Amino acid sequence: MFTTILKYELKYFLRNKIISVLFAVLIAITFYALYNGSTFYKKQTSVIEKLKVKDSTAFQTIIQNFKAGDTLTADAKWKYKNLQRASWAIFDNRFNVFWQPKPISVINIGNRDVYPYYQEIMPVSLYMRLFKNEISNPNSLLIGNIDFSYVILFLMPLFIISLLFNFISENKEKGIQSFLETNATSFSNYLYCRLAFYILIIVAILLLLFSMAYFLFFKDVSGILFLKIFIYSIFYSLFWIVICFGVNKLNKTSVFNISFLISLWLCFSILIPSVANQVAAYKYPINTEEISKNIRRVQLNGDNKEYSNVLKKFYSKYPQYYNNDTSETTLFSLAYLAQGQLSDLEGDSLLNGICEKMLLKQKFLKRISYLDPCMYLQNKYADLTETNLIDYVDYLKRLQRFNKELKLFYFKKAFTDDKMDLTYYQKMPKWK
Amino acid sequence: MKKIIINELKIIKNQKIFVGYLIAIISLWVVATTISFKQYKGEEAVRNQFNNYHRQLWENQDPKNPHMAAHYGSFAFKPANSLSIFDNGINSYSGSFIYLEAHRQNDFICSPAQNSSIFLRLGELNLSFLFQIAIPLLILSLCVGMFNTEKSSDLISFISVNSFSTKKLLLYKSYALLLINSAIYVGLYALTVILTSIMGVQWALADLLSLTGLLFSQLVFSYILILLFLLIALKAKDIKQATIVSLSVWILLFFILPRIAVNVCNTLYPLPSNLAFKEEIKKDIDNGINGHGKGDREKLVIDSVLKANHVDSTYKLPVNIDGIMLFKGEEYSSIVYNKHFSDLKNVILKQQQTAEVISLFSPYLLIKNLSMSICKTDLRSEFNFREQAENYRYYFVQELNNNMKLKSKENEFNTYKIHKSDFLAIKDFHYQADHFYDVIKHSWLEIILIMGLLSFLLIMVKLKA
Amino acid sequence: MLEAISIVKDYKGQKALNYVSFKVNLGEVFCLVGANGAGKSTLIKLFTGQLTPTTGSANIDGYSVAGDFNAVKHKVAYIPENLMLYGHLNAIENLDLFCSVSNLKYTTNELSLFLRQAGLNEVHYSKRLENYSKGMRQKVGIAYALAKKAEYLFLDEPTSGLDPKSIIEFSEIIKQLSKTGITILMTSHDLHRSINDADKIGIMKDGNLLEVIETDDYTHSELEEKYMNYMIN
């Protein structure tokens, strides 16, 4: 019986023009979604490659300037002198840091189009540069991306609803249910066989979509990770199949079924997340305006008394850097370093506070996501493809740490007035 | 005609789904209004607080050289906008302030989306969601059953042969639905305005004018949907087919087509990276946009100033050459920046306009853009703000450069300082939002497309009903 | 044998059937006539296990349908009034699917034979049912009854909405089926066809079986007069 039912359901699937069109549209959108994700990934990686080249060129220039030493022109001598003096060099050198996207992020752009993913920083005054955004069209960000996760999260349930909204009700409306209930051995067996067919066909379609993604758009992606995402997607689709079956079991009309199922889709995909987002924003407000306190350029007014005061404050916090050289040039540059570090210190606590709030907000929403499979899977996709808030916060923290290492690298020499040489430069911390 | 419309109103009133949806809509309205109001009040308080804080810092800063003051910089805060209660637009994806300083055109930093997880991308509940997505679903639900009685009892042929055409029947039904929708929209708009003003929102006359315009646009939008879904209901074999087709159309027009159109336009008109954008600007400033590099330009300026003052050394000038050089440098970098920014703006606007044309059949994208324009939370307002902030930056930096030029001498960088009175003389930044008439003037494409769509549907009713 | 024993069926406080009793002997064709809402379809549903009586019993071969329908299910075939079947499949495919669901295995040739016996023209076998008329779809239903080797056939309003040619064809099929020993319980609004097709006619009104008549004893006009008398009074 099972094979005959499968055979004829497959015929239904293939002969139904609407379903065929929907299937073709699903495949076409998936292809575009993968292309879109891939284009986005390539754009970000190409920017990062340029940054790497820029950084490497900058480092080569430092080496060349060192090698040129004070033997050549006045300009070269000037550069050499600046490089040797850490308290000056720290203001001349720029470092590019970046958040490398994972190849798997092709299937889920996630929030990577919103988060800044590269910064040109200086060892001091980090927060002046930390939050600069990538150029984007906010209108497009609002409407949202079409990526593979969009197909699975939003379109797949719609496809399942279009297949199954009249799974039982159609039989009833066509008189088949009463015909079969009286005539056939077991109507429920017949229904479960059909359900099994739809589960198989949905899994097969998912397999097709994931194969498209894997074979056409990926090279270096971990199979296990891909499999994990595939399994989550299967469970998500199964949820929608069960929902469709459950709604059909209410024994209402096809009109009721489709209206109810679309309302559920709207609730799970838009309404619940929308309300949850607003509640979270209200519960854990983050005033980005506060950042304005720490992004201002560090400024001193050219007054020795002010320089001394700043340094006094700095040495009380960092006695290990105490330097008693009070010559005007040293005082000026060290005071700027000290002021930059003091400002960064405030920035650190501000950023840590913001990150903490962001994570609390995320934790709250994650708890709600257990009630909404669409939210849950969206979050899972973002987690697995490392395009979520937690990955961005992790990037910010790594950036903070790197900045501290850089500062230490320069401060060690700046406050001791030791000269920096090429061997020391080659020990410069590198962004990983 | 009056009697027919009253009869249709009774039919609608008796639809079970109508009461259910009405309750749902009112509940959503309560939640959305509360959230939007609190968000607005929060924004208003925080932005005023920080705007005042930074102005105080500016006014009370220690005496310093004008160029140092120009680097100390100022902030432009986007003022909270009461119309955002009705449509928050792109606010979640754009920042609220810009740091303004000499030589540098900074970007917005830290949009609310930047502090959020992926969940934000699933949407936010606000009044625009209610008016643009939830109420259209109510319209759809009412429309699909509007011909049910006539079709199941063959009343439709009875009416069309004996009384009036199906076209008229459809139009009468559409008037009845429009009446109900108007009551819902007008009621909710009026209640929102009244309640929020009781709670302290100051609605200016211009805002009320904008809201009237928005209300009118929403009504046109809802009439488009009424005609569309009634036509589907009339042409469908039965209520089942009408429901399936209408829901498919709704999902396509509201969720799929706009997203596809926007994404395709992003592919068609790609944006540069910030890295490339800044590098291009730097290149043009260094090499010059018309072949004169930075060195050449500086030499030209010095020569012309010396010539005009009939002296042979900058020390002999009655003005500070450093001030002049900074002034000219700022002027040139602004020209270059404005040129690149204008190119960037054009790409973004082209993305939006093409998306609108591609999704001509998506009234949702049209009303969304129109609503954001009227509520001044759209791309144009965003650019408007950025341009005004940039103009202000230019103004305050050049004021300081002028001060340096006229009131100090070369080599006085460490000794010449300006004081509180000079800082006070620099006016604070005040954002001037577009007037309603300007909004209408600039929304010509959306207005033409939305009216075109309405005319198209009326023609379809005439031909097909 | 089919037997209705004092069947009462309450629907939301109203009596759809009020102590209805009758018998249909093997090979007989029994037709229930009456106005809409008289209880004809309710009776068919009680005999096919779709409803259970409030009191009384619908029996097939001595088994109560409400209590032990599975014992006689293999003997029963039922064709509802608006049987649409699967429009995307052709007649053979539909028949194959439904036989398979009933654990019946037939070759395509055997299935064609059933369709031929049910009166369906061979040219239609490979056409999808979405293009079939009601009469043609009913023939597929009858072919299924034949394939199932049903001993009892229940037909709800089989002739409503059929054109005159199809009605005549249908009468022929009923006669053929009756000749093979199949017992048929059907409902109809058509007195003229009922008197031709059935052995017995049960006249129903407001849930009551008013009278069971032998068709051989009545002419068409006599039946019509009797029927109208019952309906008016």
Side-chain angles (χ1 to χ4, degrees):
Chain A
M1 174 168 88
F2 186 59
T3 46
T4 315
I5 293 173
L6 291 197
K7 188 173 92 185
Y8 289 117
E9 285 301 327
L10 190 64
K11 281 193 177 174
Y12 171 71
F13 190 79
L14 298 175
R15 286 177 185 176
N16 189 317
K17 273 183 203 151
I18 295 172
I19 299 226
S20 307
V21 169
L22 288 179
F23 182 64
V25 169
L26 188 73
I27 296 289
I29 294 182
T30 306
F31 191 81
Y32 175 70
L34 285 165
Y35 167 76
N36 211 22
S38 163
T39 310
F40 184 81
Y41 169 76
K42 279 181 191 157
K43 188 181 172 186
Q44 289 209 337
T45 42
S46 95
V47 168
I48 288 170
E49 285 312 311
K50 277 181 195 147
L51 292 175
K52 284 180 184 169
V53 170
K54 207 178 159 193
D55 260 6
S56 145
T57 315
F59 196 69
Q60 289 307 317
T61 313
I62 288 176
I63 293 173
Q64 273 169 20
N65 288 340
F66 251 112
K67 283 183 179 162
D70 55 359
T71 55
L72 288 169
T73 58
D75 184 44
K77 279 181 184 174
W78 173 252
K79 281 178 181 164
Y80 179 65
K81 210 174 164 190
N82 273 3
L83 280 172
Q84 281 184 311
R85 186 179 281 208
S87 58
W88 287 18
I90 195 169
F91 293 107
D92 286 342
N93 297 337
R94 301 277 192 278
F95 302 87
N96 285 295
V97 288
F98 46 84
W99 175 24
Q100 183 86 43
K102 298 273 170 207
I104 190 78
S105 67
V106 165
I107 62 166
N108 181 49
I109 293 171
N111 243 12
R112 277 204 69 114
D113 53 347
V114 168
Y115 302 136
Y117 68 100
Y118 61 95
Q119 275 90 7
E120 188 185 59
I121 60 163
M122 278 167 63
V124 283
S125 300
L126 170 69
Y127 295 95
M128 208 176 117
R129 296 173 175 81
L130 188 64
F131 300 101
K132 292 195 173 183
N133 282 354
E134 176 58 301
I135 291 172
S136 58
N137 177 348
N139 215 17
S140 310
L141 296 178
L142 175 68
I143 299 283
N145 284 310
I146 290 193
D147 57 10
F148 188 74
S149 68
Y150 168 76
V151 174
I152 302 294
L153 278 159
F154 296 98
L155 302 187
M156 203 61 196
L158 287 174
F159 185 70
I160 293 171
I161 290 172
S162 69
L163 274 182
L164 295 178
F165 76 95
N166 57 359
F167 178 70
I168 296 176
S169 56
E170 188 192 24
N171 283 329
K172 206 173 159 191
E173 282 148 18
K174 288 188 169 175
I176 295 170
Q177 186 173 345
S178 54
F179 179 73
L180 278 176
E181 270 174 347
T182 312
N183 300 324
T185 315
S186 168
F187 179 63
S188 54
N189 276 355
Y190 169 66
L191 282 186
Y192 289 120
C193 284
R194 285 185 67 210
L195 188 64
F197 166 81
Y198 283 104
I199 292 173
L200 282 178
I201 203 96
I202 295 298
V203 172
I205 290 172
L206 281 174
L207 195 63
L208 175 72
L209 301 184
F210 273 83
S211 305
M212 260 171 79
Y214 194 77
F215 294 111
L216 297 179
F217 289 91
F218 290 113
K219 281 183 196 114
D220 311 314
V221 172
S222 138
I224 302 281
L225 183 61
F226 210 75
L227 191 68
K228 257 188 191 174
I229 297 173
F230 178 58
I231 290 170
Y232 275 112
S233 308
I234 288 182
F235 277 111
Y236 178 68
S237 299
L238 281 179
F239 163 80
W240 278 104
I241 294 176
V242 170
I243 286 281
C244 288
F245 188 70
V247 170
N248 267 281
K249 273 287 200 188
L250 296 174
N251 269 330
K252 304 274 184 184
T253 60
S254 299
V255 172
F256 172 87
N257 288 356
I258 192 163
S259 309
F260 191 69
L261 285 167
I262 293 291
S263 304
L264 280 181
W265 176 83
L266 191 68
C267 271
F268 286 132
S269 329
I270 294 160
L271 199 58
I272 295 175
S274 304
V275 176
N277 275 326
Q278 297 289 47
V279 174
Y282 179 65
K283 230 171 128 83
Y284 304 100
I286 298 169
N287 294 325
T288 46
E289 286 79 0
E290 271 186 55
I291 293 165
S292 66
K293 283 180 173 175
N294 284 85
I295 60 167
R296 204 164 215 152
R297 193 173 289 280
V298 167
Q299 278 224 326
L300 296 168
N301 306 321
D303 177 347
N304 279 359
K305 202 176 150 201
E306 188 194 16
Y307 297 161
S308 301
N309 282 341
V310 169
L311 280 168
K312 207 170 147 190
K313 205 172 158 188
F314 176 76
Y315 291 142
S316 71
K317 280 190 191 296
Y318 305 98
Q320 70 271 33
Y321 291 124
Y322 184 74
N323 183 328
N324 57 5
D325 184 353
T326 50
S327 65
E328 205 168 314
T329 42
T330 313
L331 203 61
F332 164 78
S333 53
L334 292 189
Y336 259 95
L337 279 191
Q339 184 67 4
Q341 170 57 16
L342 291 172
S343 160
D344 278 358
L345 206 61
E346 278 176 33
D348 282 347
S349 71
L350 183 72
L351 179 69
N352 292 343
I354 288 178
C355 286
E356 205 176 309
K357 270 191 186 172
M358 291 199 279
L359 292 175
L360 275 175
K361 195 160 87 170
Q362 164 71 354
K363 208 171 154 187
F364 168 78
L365 285 167
K366 205 174 164 183
R367 274 207 300 270
I368 295 182
S369 80
Y370 291 117
L371 304 172
D372 182 343
C374 182
M375 277 177 84
Y376 181 81
L377 189 69
Q378 173 77 85
N379 192 52
K380 208 76 209 167
Y381 259 88
D383 279 348
L384 291 170
T385 53
E386 297 182 25
T387 57
N388 212 351
L389 180 72
I390 203 145
D391 308 292
Y392 174 57
V393 170
D394 177 57
Y395 164 65
L396 289 178
K397 297 272 175 190
R398 279 193 294 130
L399 206 163
Q400 249 182 347
R401 280 201 298 276
F402 175 67
N403 179 251
K404 282 194 179 106
E405 284 172 29
L406 273 180
K407 243 184 267 190
L408 190 68
F409 175 79
Y410 281 97
F411 277 25
K412 266 184 190 167
K413 295 285 180 185
F415 284 89
T416 57
D417 237 15
D418 272 0
K419 292 219 162 35
M420 303 217 290
D421 55 21
L422 192 55
T423 327
Y424 190 70
Y425 261 107
Q426 272 157 344
K427 285 183 210 154
M428 188 188 273
K430 294 270 183 305
W431 173 255
K432 286 172 195 132
Chain B
M1 176 173 145
K2 199 174 144 191
K3 279 185 182 169
I4 302 165
I5 294 174
I6 290 170
N7 179 45
E8 292 299 334
L9 286 173
K10 279 182 188 164
I11 294 172
I12 296 166
K13 205 186 80 189
N14 289 335
Q15 283 196 29
K16 271 189 213 156
I17 207 160
F18 177 62
V19 183
Y21 265 109
L22 210 55
I23 292 168
I25 279 171
I26 290 169
S27 317
L28 282 178
W29 172 77
V30 171
V31 179
T33 311
T34 313
I35 289 170
S36 302
F37 170 74
K38 285 201 176 283
Q39 197 172 344
Y40 163 69
K41 282 310 243 186
E43 276 173 9
E44 190 185 38
V46 169
R47 290 184 196 175
N48 285 343
Q49 180 200 333
F50 279 94
N51 196 27
N52 293 338
Y53 168 80
H54 285 292
R55 182 64 191 174
Q56 290 298 316
L57 283 185
W58 172 260
E59 288 174 0
N60 297 311
Q61 63 184 306
D62 292 333
K64 55 181 64 131
N65 180 276
H67 190 61
M68 294 282 276
H71 270 297
Y72 184 67
S74 181
F75 284 87
F77 281 89
K78 203 194 264 183
N81 162 15
S82 52
L83 288 169
S84 69
I85 292 175
F86 280 84
D87 198 330
N88 197 37
I90 59 169
N91 282 351
S92 293
Y93 296 91
S94 62
S96 58
F97 66 94
I98 305 177
Y99 176 43
L100 310 169
E101 62 168 332
H103 321 311
R104 282 184 178 79
Q105 287 84 358
N106 288 313
D107 289 323
F108 272 118
I109 60 162
C110 239
S111 65
Q114 210 174 304
N115 306 315
S116 307
S117 65
I118 188 69
F119 294 122
L120 184 75
R121 309 307 285 275
L122 296 172
E124 293 170 282
L125 175 68
N126 44 37
L127 284 176
S128 60
F129 172 86
L130 178 71
F131 293 138
Q132 291 159 18
I133 291 179
I135 296 184
L137 191 60
L138 168 74
I139 295 175
L140 181 154
S141 316
L142 293 177
C143 285
V144 290
M146 283 303 274
F147 288 99
N148 199 28
T149 322
E150 284 86 349
K151 281 190 172 177
S152 55
S153 58
D154 217 8
L155 195 61
I156 201 152
S157 46
F158 177 80
I159 292 173
S160 61
V161 173
N162 301 322
S163 313
F164 43 77
S165 63
T166 46
K167 184 184 88 186
K168 273 196 175 162
L169 182 67
L170 189 147
L171 285 174
Y172 291 147
K173 282 180 189 289
S174 74
Y175 300 151
L177 283 164
L178 184 63
L179 264 175
I180 286 184
N181 264 290
S182 308
I184 294 173
Y185 275 115
V186 172
L188 293 182
Y189 267 69
L191 272 175
T192 311
V193 172
I194 293 165
L195 281 177
T196 50
S197 41
I198 290 169
M199 289 190 287
V201 177
Q202 306 271 321
W203 291 106
L205 194 66
D207 292 335
L208 295 178
L209 187 64
S210 297
L211 287 179
T212 315
L214 182 60
L215 177 62
F216 179 74
S217 320
Q218 296 275 14
L219 291 179
V220 173
F221 164 68
S222 62
Y223 195 55
I224 287 175
L225 295 179
I226 288 169
L227 288 177
L228 176 67
F229 292 132
L230 278 181
L231 258 177
I232 292 172
L234 178 71
K235 289 286 142 193
K237 196 170 65 187
D238 51 24
I239 188 168
K240 180 177 159 186
Q241 201 184 45
T243 310
I244 294 168
V245 175
S246 301
L247 280 173
S248 310
V249 167
W250 182 71
I251 284 171
L252 191 72
L253 295 187
F254 283 69
F255 298 99
I256 300 179
L257 205 56
R259 213 182 254 243
I260 291 180
V262 164
N263 277 265
V264 167
C265 288
N266 289 355
T267 315
L268 286 177
Y269 306 106
L271 288 170
S273 66
N274 210 5
L275 177 72
F277 182 69
K278 292 278 159 70
E279 274 179 351
E280 283 297 307
I281 291 174
K282 191 175 177 306
K283 202 173 84 189
D284 278 357
I285 291 173
D286 289 348
N287 303 335
I289 29 181
N290 44 14
H292 293 291
K294 202 173 178 182
D296 282 0
R297 291 197 311 269
E298 284 173 355
K299 195 174 174 304
L300 275 171
V301 171
I302 294 170
D303 288 350
S304 67
V305 172
L306 291 177
K307 204 174 164 188
N309 288 280
H310 310 290
V311 288
D312 57 1
S313 157
T314 53
Y315 289 103
K316 292 176 189 167
L317 284 170
V319 288
N320 185 349
I321 189 71
D322 290 341
I324 295 174
M325 296 312 288
L326 286 169
F327 190 96
K328 289 286 173 188
E330 194 67 56
E331 192 179 61
Y332 197 78
S333 67
S334 285
I335 291 169
V336 172
Y337 177 83
N338 289 344
K339 174 188 165 284
H340 284 275
F341 184 74
S342 158
D343 291 347
L344 181 70
K345 182 179 153 186
N346 285 339
V347 174
I348 292 180
L349 289 179
K350 214 181 259 178
Q351 284 182 345
Q352 177 169 334
Q353 286 176 349
T354 316
E356 277 174 1
V357 175
I358 291 179
S359 61
L360 173 64
F361 300 107
S362 171
Y364 169 68
L365 203 58
L366 293 177
I367 190 65
K368 187 165 186 58
N369 288 337
L370 197 55
S371 156
M372 290 196 300
S373 298
I374 293 173
C375 292
K376 294 158 196 167
T377 53
D378 65 330
L379 268 178
R380 240 191 64 76
S381 301
E382 171 91 356
F383 285 128
N384 202 4
F385 178 79
R386 285 188 188 211
E387 281 161 357
Q388 285 187 31
E390 172 54 19
N391 289 342
Y392 175 75
R393 190 197 68 82
Y394 187 76
Y395 147 77
F396 103 86
V397 171
Q398 295 299 52
E399 282 289 300
L400 293 166
N401 286 337
N402 255 334
N403 183 304
M404 188 175 171
K405 177 179 108 181
L406 300 171
K407 296 186 180 172
S408 70
K409 292 272 180 298
E410 205 176 341
N411 280 343
E412 280 184 355
F413 193 84
N414 288 329
T415 50
Y416 176 68
K417 291 183 179 180
I418 54 170
H419 299 83
K420 188 165 183 173
S421 58
D422 301 302
F423 299 133
L424 283 171
I426 303 283
K427 286 178 277 177
D428 198 4
F429 170 69
H430 285 290
Y431 171 59
Q432 193 60 49
D434 263 349
H435 195 274
F436 177 63
Y437 303 121
D438 295 316
V439 170
I440 296 300
K441 204 169 75 192
H442 287 107
S443 304
W444 61 269
L445 183 66
E446 287 87 356
I447 294 171
I448 288 176
L449 288 176
I450 214 161
M451 294 317 278
L453 205 53
L454 180 65
S455 317
F456 171 75
L457 280 163
L458 285 170
I459 293 167
M460 287 302 284
V461 168
K462 198 172 177 186
L463 294 176
K464 300 280 175 186
Chain C
M1 185 173 71
L2 300 178
E3 192 174 12
I5 307 169
S6 296
I7 296 177
V8 174
K9 180 68 188 170
D10 286 341
Y11 261 138
K12 293 172 188 167
Q14 290 215 318
K15 278 205 164 30
L17 290 174
N18 194 17
Y19 297 98
V20 174
S21 299
F22 64 88
K23 277 183 192 170
V24 185
N25 296 319
L26 291 179
E28 264 181 5
V29 178
F30 191 101
C31 187
L32 295 163
V33 297
N36 286 333
K40 308 184 296 290
S41 296
T42 308
L43 261 172
I44 295 269
K45 282 181 178 157
L46 286 166
F47 273 102
T48 50
Q50 298 175 67
L51 292 175
T52 48
T54 311
T55 60
S57 179
N59 290 356
I60 299 175
D61 279 353
Y63 290 97
S64 158
V65 171
D68 207 1
F69 184 52
N70 281 339
V72 288
K73 199 172 179 179
H74 62 282
K75 296 181 182 176
V76 170
Y78 162 67
I79 301 168
E81 181 183 354
N82 284 311
L83 178 62
M84 303 297 286
L85 298 169
Y86 287 119
H88 62 282
L89 300 178
N90 63 33
I92 300 269
E93 288 167 342
N94 262 292
L95 202 53
D96 186 25
L97 174 65
F98 291 119
C99 285
S100 168
V101 175
S102 310
N103 287 335
L104 302 168
K105 281 221 170 282
Y106 291 109
T107 61
T108 310
N109 283 342
E110 286 167 329
L111 294 172
S112 307
L113 187 69
F114 293 129
L115 286 169
R116 201 174 308 134
Q117 283 174 353
L120 190 71
N121 195 321
E122 210 157 333
V123 292
H124 301 303
Y125 292 180
S126 55
K127 285 185 189 160
R128 291 193 202 178
L129 256 71
E130 60 201 5
N131 305 315
Y132 273 32
S133 66
K134 183 185 169 183
M136 285 155 78
R137 285 199 304 270
Q138 230 158 22
K139 285 174 185 169
V140 180
I142 288 169
Y144 170 74
L146 292 169
K148 198 180 170 184
K149 305 206 174 352
E151 294 170 27
Y152 297 96
L153 180 59
F154 297 90
L155 302 164
D156 196 4
E157 307 273 6
T159 53
S160 80
L162 294 191
D163 61 81
K165 180 177 166 275
S166 302
I167 291 175
I168 294 164
E169 278 174 5
F170 184 78
S171 296
E172 282 306 310
I173 295 163
I174 293 289
K175 276 178 194 153
Q176 291 296 325
L177 292 174
S178 175
K179 271 185 198 163
T180 60
I182 296 177
T183 309
I184 298 170
L185 177 64
M186 58 191 260
T187 67
S188 180
H189 284 291
D190 188 341
L191 294 176
H192 179 69
R193 294 311 320 169
S194 306
I195 204 162
N196 277 351
D197 299 343
D199 301 306
K200 284 180 187 166
I201 290 177
I203 301 172
M204 293 191 74
K205 187 184 175 186
D206 301 334
N208 295 299
L209 181 64
L210 304 175
E211 189 180 343
V212 176
I213 59 163
E214 302 272 345
T215 50
D216 290 343
D217 302 341
Y218 287 83
T219 62
H220 179 251
S221 53
E222 284 167 348
L223 176 65
E224 202 170 78
E225 198 184 331
K226 189 177 244 326
Y227 182 81
M228 286 312 287
N229 279 337
Y230 275 128
M231 293 303 124
I232 292 162
N233 300 316

